[in-house]
Amino acid sequence: MDLENLAQQYLELVLAGRRQLASTLILKAVEEGTPVKAVYLDVFQPALREVGRLWEENRISIAQEHLATAVTQLVMSQLYPRVFSSERRGLALVATCLGGELHEVGVRMVADFFEMGGWDTYYLGANTPDEAVVAELQRVNAALLGVSVTISSHLARAASLIKRVRAQRGLERLKILVGGLPFLAAPELSGELGADGTAVDAAGAVARGEELVR
Amino acid sequence: MSERGGIALHCTLDGAVVERVCDELGLAGLLPGVMLASLVAPGSERKCERFVSEVRERGAAFHWELDLPVAGGVATLSFAGIRQEGSLLLIGARLFDDIFALYEELTRVNNEEVNLLRRAIKERVLMTQRGAEASALDELSRLNNELVNLQRDLARQNRALERLNEEKNTLLGIAAHDLRNPIASIKGHAALLLEAELDPEQRRRALEAIGRVSEHMLSLVNDLLDVSVIESGRLELRRERCDLSALLERRVEFFRLLGERKAIRVVARLAPALELAVDPTRFEQVVDNLISNAVKYSPHGSTVEVELSPGERGAQLVVRDHGPGLSEEDQRRLFGTFQRLSAKPTGGERSTGLGLAITQRVVAAHGGTIAVASTPGEGATFTVLLPDAPLARPAPTSAPAAVAIARGPIHVLVVDDDEDIRLAVELALSLEHGFEVCPCASLEAALEALAQFAPDLLLLDVEMPGHDGPSTLAALRQDARSAAAPAVFLTARAEPERAAGYRAAGAVDVIPKPFDLQTLRDRLRASLRGQGS
């Protein structure tokens, strides 16, 4: 089955709330050789974007949107044994998200991509306090911080988090990547916030992250 | 209408009455410009202000109970309100449902404004309900996210544990393999010694081979124990102020001699008198590992450089060689356990494959870092950054009461149930002048021997059937003839915590088994001088 087809079927199943079938569909595809990265990028991502669009058009309820996201998270967690199996390279990423609960899934996908690239990743839940982020960065001796910003009104908070992290002794060499909707429209915002770079998707984020820590 | 009754007011955003839409209560003082809060019953003013601000800020509010003075007392009214452009519409009735009844009443007088209000309120009610639903969903999502994050952590840890287990299995396999070879060699040489007619020179060579191979086995076992102690997080540093420069000076001197065999020059540039709070034994292990590796992998006639300088908040140690260097792949695997890299020792030296793994962990336990930089073909540079640390408590004072240096032979009472050990000690000490040994297999035998033998020193095994070291010592202390002789413990388990316990029980030194003969002699002499280490 091609990925577009897979994404379409998956979307239909999650909108109908049929989580068992949705999960079987994906696990079977992976079993048959579809790479996990392709499932993330070409199935989960377009399916969830479509869910968001349908909600905006008032064609599905907010409950359906939440359910679709929850089902996707469940299926993702079933893929974790494959995500966490690559060789470690001694590089650590801490990722966090500023904004709504529904958007956490995106930045976790990014973290999983880093994990598949041999990084050790530590995902902090949405809206973790700045101090806790700093503490985690120090605890795991992180090389990279990933900050996802879901809506423009949270840009100021991202700026203050970055400023706080930059001011911390011992974190001078840390690189910071930002991502999320506001940066798709205006990538130059990343520099203005004091970050080292941004990317349009999970694969791009890993490429940029590798460049930064090289 | 007195039992029901309600009131509808048009107010400013601050809650000042603009006009009375309906008043079935006959509220006193209800005039334009009066603040609603001043009309309610005493005690309800602040609540009334909050109600007004809730309507103003949120656009609508429901179910606010306010007390109003009415003829004959106080009535509790349920208030609702909505904000419309620049003003507020506030409605109170005895019961919340009455608010709607009140609308009906007002609708009958066809108050268009009230019709608008009704529609608006209905919309608000619906939206508020939707809002509640959405926030419940958000809460569910939050919970779900937390669960997924936990699951993610678990999957990660699970994988890490699997990896650790694999590593342990590999380690065990390699250790077994690495120990089998030297054992075969010892066995072969022993058989040769027993069975073949060897001339003295051949015998000496066979014994030397056994000695050499045992030495290697011992270092492998020690390294393995180190790794297991470190990996299990039981590495305890005994920090004290230590002159790193002097320590390095000593070790560099040692490796200079070793390097001479391969015509390798060990050059040192050491900042003078650099003091840091480190565990000297562990730090020496780091130094030894790095310099011995450099010497081991350096070609004949090359130079090994050792530099010590003050770091930003501690010290920086650099060990540089001009050997074959390390590929990127090797550099990545360098600090793992049993990593066989592509570089080969240049003088046929042996390696346990654990040295750098231990080194890195010891440095990390000190809060420091170790890094390697290398270009294949151009040698490798190891850089250790060691931070200073405050001492938790003053360094332990040295051994108790010095004993006058004995003149004439030193009488050593040995108590050990292991015949081989008794024999080894006896041989070791009798090979050199200055020791006289009385070997005993048990405490009872020792007490008996005291009749003929006045000991200057007690050398006691720690694990004997029926008696451990401390209880053996306590029994000997009861006897006047052995009450004052310093005691040294022999043990296969000389980890720092245990050794400290033995010292507390009265031992001036704790010598780990197996021991080499020279060490035994040196430490017994030192113990007698009151300098147990």
Side-chain angles (χ1 to χ4, degrees):
Chain A
M1 190 188 314
D2 65 43
L3 287 166
E4 209 173 308
N5 225 321
L6 189 65
Q8 186 56 42
Q9 280 200 32
Y10 177 75
L11 177 65
E12 283 163 18
L13 290 173
V14 293
L15 285 179
R18 309 188 70 173
R19 63 184 169 88
Q20 296 282 14
L21 287 176
S23 153
T24 311
L25 177 77
I26 297 301
L27 293 181
K28 189 160 157 281
V30 170
E31 207 63 51
E32 285 167 1
T34 308
V36 173
K37 285 184 185 179
V39 172
Y40 272 52
L41 281 186
D42 300 324
V43 179
F44 294 157
Q45 187 170 297
L48 288 179
R49 284 195 177 152
E50 180 63 8
V51 167
R53 198 185 64 81
L54 290 172
W55 178 77
E56 266 174 20
E57 291 185 359
N58 208 24
R59 286 162 60 188
I60 59 170
S61 70
I62 190 161
Q64 273 176 297
E65 190 192 17
H66 278 257
L67 182 61
T69 309
V71 169
T72 302
Q73 308 233 49
L74 174 81
V75 180
M76 274 169 77
S77 72
Q78 289 165 336
L79 295 175
Y80 281 155
R82 290 171 191 271
V83 170
F84 295 106
S85 63
S86 50
E87 272 303 310
R88 307 290 84 196
R89 293 165 48 211
L91 289 165
L93 163 84
V94 169
T96 187
C97 157
L98 302 173
E101 304 293 338
L102 274 179
H103 302 278
E104 227 184 285
V105 60
V107 64
R108 205 181 300 106
M109 275 189 189
V110 173
D112 288 354
F113 261 62
F114 274 96
E115 192 71 42
M116 287 184 266
W119 289 60
D120 281 308
T121 62
Y122 302 87
Y123 178 71
L124 302 176
N127 306 323
T128 302
D130 291 1
E131 288 314 308
V133 175
V134 169
E136 185 71 352
L137 288 167
Q138 290 174 319
R139 187 183 73 81
V140 306
N141 191 20
L144 192 63
L145 167 67
V147 182
S148 156
V149 184
T150 54
I151 48 172
S152 303
S153 54
H154 285 135
L155 285 171
R157 279 180 57 202
S160 81
L161 170 64
I162 291 171
K163 206 169 150 205
R164 171 70 192 83
V165 169
R166 294 281 194 219
Q168 184 65 37
R169 262 191 79 156
L171 294 179
E172 293 85 0
R173 288 169 62 193
L174 179 84
K175 301 292 181 196
I176 302 178
L177 265 189
V178 289
L181 210 54
F183 304 100
L184 292 184
E188 67 279 4
L189 275 176
S190 78
E192 284 169 28
L193 290 186
D196 298 299
T198 183
V200 298
D201 62 16
V206 175
R208 189 77 185 96
E210 294 281 356
E211 246 172 60
L212 287 174
V213 303
R214 191 178 297 152
Chain B
M1 210 81 206
S2 67
E3 277 312 299
R4 290 170 63 112
I7 179 172
L9 303 170
H10 195 179
C11 293
T12 66
L13 291 179
D14 297 330
V17 175
V18 175
E19 97 179 277
R20 185 172 52 179
V21 181
C22 162
D23 177 15
E24 297 174 345
L25 298 169
L27 205 58
L30 187 55
L31 296 166
V34 171
M35 301 299 285
L36 177 61
S38 70
L39 298 176
V40 298
S44 281
E45 300 94 336
R46 282 169 63 91
K47 189 170 179 187
C48 179
E49 282 165 7
R50 289 216 188 98
F51 164 62
V52 169
S53 90
E54 175 99 358
V55 179
R56 183 176 60 237
E57 303 303 327
R58 304 208 170 203
F62 303 94
H63 291 298
W64 281 72
E65 291 187 338
L66 298 174
D67 293 338
L68 263 67
V70 291
V74 170
T76 301
L77 266 68
S78 180
F79 268 83
I82 66 151
R83 178 177 171 161
Q84 269 195 325
E85 322 239 304
S87 63
L88 309 178
L89 271 158
L90 308 177
I91 298 164
R94 300 233 183 214
L95 296 166
F96 185 69
D97 288 344
D98 288 350
I99 289 178
F100 289 95
L102 192 56
Y103 298 146
E104 299 297 335
E105 190 77 22
L106 293 170
T107 311
R108 272 203 291 279
V109 298
N110 198 16
N111 186 326
E112 203 173 314
E113 198 174 30
V114 174
N115 278 337
L116 271 174
L117 165 65
R118 184 162 192 259
R119 206 161 50 235
I121 286 192
K122 273 199 162 168
E123 223 161 75
R124 277 290 171 187
V125 170
L126 283 176
M127 275 181 68
T128 312
Q129 279 168 355
R130 257 214 303 277
E133 190 179 308
S135 80
L137 284 171
D138 276 342
E139 188 58 30
L140 275 178
S141 276
R142 202 168 5 254
L143 283 172
N144 191 43
N145 282 339
E146 270 172 36
L147 279 175
V148 175
N149 290 341
L150 268 177
Q151 210 161 2
R152 192 173 190 279
D153 270 359
L154 276 179
R156 279 175 41 78
Q157 283 172 20
N158 207 12
R159 182 58 202 150
L161 284 175
E162 272 170 28
R163 242 189 280 271
L164 198 65
N165 194 34
E166 279 165 25
E167 213 169 275
K168 287 238 147 63
N169 285 340
T170 315
L171 198 127
L172 196 64
I174 296 177
H177 174 265
D178 281 15
L179 285 173
R180 200 162 49 191
N181 289 344
I183 288 173
S185 163
I186 290 174
K187 229 178 131 208
H189 282 107
L192 204 65
L193 283 166
L194 279 174
E195 290 155 22
E197 294 281 324
L198 301 178
D199 64 35
E201 175 59 18
Q202 287 170 319
R203 291 175 66 86
R204 197 180 58 79
R205 280 218 299 272
L207 286 167
E208 272 175 6
I210 290 177
R212 216 170 34 241
V213 171
S214 321
E215 196 67 40
H216 175 65
M217 280 176 68
L218 181 62
S219 57
L220 181 61
V221 171
N222 282 341
D223 280 2
L224 275 172
L225 288 176
D226 263 358
V227 167
S228 90
V229 164
I230 293 171
E231 296 283 320
S232 64
R234 281 183 287 128
L235 178 65
E236 270 183 33
L237 295 182
R238 294 155 68 93
R239 285 185 193 258
E240 51 188 81
R241 299 301 308 176
C242 171
D243 182 346
L244 301 189
S245 319
L247 187 150
L248 270 161
E249 189 108 31
R250 280 201 308 279
R251 299 316 295 160
V252 165
E253 194 47 48
F254 173 79
F255 285 105
R256 242 177 222 142
L257 296 173
L258 210 69
E260 273 173 13
R261 293 188 209 161
K262 299 201 289 182
I264 290 169
R265 286 197 323 131
V266 182
V267 186
R269 272 220 319 262
L270 310 176
L274 186 51
E275 271 201 8
L276 229 57
V278 298
D279 181 326
T281 316
R282 291 293 182 184
F283 179 68
E284 190 169 314
Q285 199 176 10
V286 168
V287 170
D288 280 10
N289 245 309
L290 293 179
I291 309 183
S292 76
N293 273 347
V295 171
K296 203 183 281 182
Y297 295 102
S298 283
H300 282 250
S302 65
T303 310
V304 167
E305 290 138 41
V306 181
E307 289 163 19
L308 178 71
S309 55
E312 196 188 326
R313 276 174 294 162
Q316 171 173 302
L317 168 69
V318 175
V319 177
R320 188 178 302 112
D321 68 54
H322 299 278
L326 296 151
S327 67
E328 270 190 35
E329 170 69 16
D330 281 354
Q331 288 179 41
R332 254 204 307 281
R333 292 161 47 206
L334 200 56
F335 298 108
T337 44
F338 284 122
Q339 296 295 341
R340 301 289 148 117
L341 309 179
S342 37
K344 293 281 168 283
T346 48
E349 296 97 330
R350 287 160 182 276
S351 158
T352 62
L354 293 170
L356 281 174
I358 294 171
T359 300
Q360 189 217 29
R361 287 157 178 80
V362 169
V363 169
H366 277 90
T369 56
I370 181 167
V372 62
S374 176
T375 310
E378 291 175 23
T381 304
F382 287 84
T383 305
V384 175
L385 292 174
L386 221 50
D388 203 356
L391 286 178
R393 54 193 141 79
T397 48
S398 59
V403 174
I405 297 172
R407 294 171 196 284
I410 300 167
H411 296 85
V412 183
L413 181 72
V414 178
V415 188
D416 196 318
D417 61 317
D418 185 328
E419 191 184 347
D420 290 338
I421 298 284
R422 288 202 305 275
L423 197 63
V425 171
E426 200 178 353
L427 278 173
L429 298 184
S430 59
L431 275 176
E432 198 157 313
H433 293 297
F435 287 101
E436 208 165 286
V437 177
C438 174
C440 307
S442 65
L443 170 61
E444 292 70 26
L447 289 169
E448 216 164 280
L450 286 175
Q452 285 100 42
F453 191 84
D456 299 312
L457 191 71
L458 309 172
L459 183 60
L460 311 176
D461 180 27
V462 169
E463 293 103 10
M464 286 184 292
H467 293 285
D468 61 4
S471 70
T472 310
L473 179 59
L476 288 169
R477 288 277 183 254
Q478 295 295 312
D479 193 302
R481 293 163 294 186
S482 55
V488 173
F489 282 5
L490 273 178
T491 175
R493 310 192 58 184
E495 302 92 354
E497 312 83 74
R498 275 175 188 270
Y502 296 145
R503 281 168 203 275
V508 296
D509 194 5
V510 181
I511 300 178
K513 290 185 201 176
F515 43 82
D516 73 57
L517 305 182
Q518 192 55 47
T519 305
L520 180 70
R521 286 190 287 259
D522 290 349
R523 286 175 74 161
L524 290 186
R525 282 212 182 84
S527 295
L528 210 55
R529 286 197 299 268
Q531 301 168 349
S533 59

